[in-house]
Amino acid sequence: MENKKTNETFVMPVKQVHPKMTKEMYEKLVNYRVKKCETIEKLHHTYNLPVITIRANYPGVLKNNETTRFVIEEIRKTFDAFFHDKMLAEETYDTPEGPTTFYVLSGDARTLKENAVFIEQNHELGRFVDIDVYDIDEEYAITRFELHYEPRKCFLCDKSAKECSQNKTHSVEELIAFMEERVKEYIRNKE
């Protein structure tokens, strides 16, 4: 993974074509997920502390774009302000899952996840990110379910996001249009 930070100005795309996952894209995604696990393990080994990842929850396969970079930058500002006194390391990469930041934070992993859920639920763009917390000796990220939170809701309806995703209840175009409209609204409100 190449460490990249972008300082591009946010420009909303007019119209994107949303391709289907190709074999090559799938292989890159699988290879990245192995690399992601290796990065988390390396950070755990180096610091012996929880690792947190933040990535945009963007529908479709084209996850590296102006929208995802903007959303991640905005959430990172909040995250950095929230956890500045606990932060030991930060690495940001452009990946097949979109821009992803890895953090190493001091503290109890479950408490960190509680705080991450707070950001996801209360920041105006929080529903558009996944903040995962990996404890030192656990193979998988701590789930909302473990902490007795309801599953994440779909962008467009009241059902769980997982259910809508599995059933393909909404088109990728509908989901992206909703997300991009909310990001535009967020930008207008900040001006």
Side-chain angles (χ1 to χ4, degrees):
M1 286 188 294
E2 184 179 307
N3 193 354
K4 289 185 177 181
K5 285 194 177 184
T6 59
N7 293 323
E8 297 176 25
T9 305
F10 179 77
V11 177
M12 189 68 67
V14 175
K15 179 77 173 148
Q16 278 186 308
V17 177
H18 303 287
K20 300 285 185 208
M21 175 77 71
T22 65
K23 182 180 178 185
E24 181 182 333
M25 291 170 146
Y26 181 76
E27 287 173 359
K28 284 182 180 180
L29 183 61
V30 169
N31 290 336
Y32 164 68
R33 289 189 175 157
V34 169
K35 189 77 168 170
K36 178 181 178 182
C37 290
E38 290 170 353
T39 301
I40 291 167
E41 287 175 11
K42 176 194 78 164
L43 291 169
H44 276 155
H45 180 75
T46 302
Y47 294 94
N48 200 35
L49 289 168
V51 173
I52 289 84
T53 62
I54 300 177
R55 68 177 182 82
N57 188 8
Y58 192 83
V61 297
L62 299 177
K63 297 182 183 290
N64 278 308
N65 56 57
E66 290 87 2
T67 302
T68 57
R69 283 190 286 278
F70 179 81
V71 168
I72 289 300
E73 270 310 305
E74 290 300 298
I75 294 295
R76 284 181 62 219
K77 289 175 192 174
T78 299
F79 193 87
D80 292 355
F82 208 79
F83 291 111
H84 71 277
D85 60 334
K86 296 184 175 298
M87 215 173 282
L88 281 90
E90 174 185 341
E91 299 176 8
T92 298
Y93 302 99
D94 279 333
T95 77
E97 290 185 333
T100 304
T101 300
F102 294 77
Y103 290 96
V104 176
L105 298 181
S106 61
D108 172 71
R110 276 151 182 72
T111 303
L112 294 171
K113 179 63 177 181
E114 292 267 355
N115 289 308
V117 170
F118 179 83
I119 292 170
E120 289 174 343
Q121 292 179 333
N122 291 286
H123 191 285
E124 290 176 73
L125 300 176
R127 67 187 312 184
F128 303 126
V129 295
D130 285 326
I131 304 175
D132 292 325
V133 178
Y134 299 86
D135 205 356
I136 300 162
D137 295 323
E138 295 184 22
E139 193 172 332
Y140 300 101
I142 298 167
T143 65
R144 287 170 163 251
F145 180 76
E146 288 176 64
L147 300 177
H148 308 289
Y149 286 97
E150 288 189 18
R152 294 183 80 140
K153 299 278 186 197
C154 171
F155 291 168
L156 301 176
C157 69
D158 245 0
K159 295 179 184 173
S160 82
K162 186 175 184 177
E163 179 183 343
C164 283
S165 176
Q166 287 174 341
N167 295 333
K168 296 184 179 9
T169 306
H170 313 287
S171 72
V172 170
E173 290 78 15
E174 287 177 293
L175 294 164
I176 289 172
F178 176 85
M179 182 177 179
E180 291 181 351
E181 183 53 41
R182 290 305 175 274
V183 171
K184 286 179 190 176
E185 187 177 301
Y186 175 83
I187 292 167
R188 284 192 300 269
N189 291 339
K190 282 188 71 169
E191 292 175 344

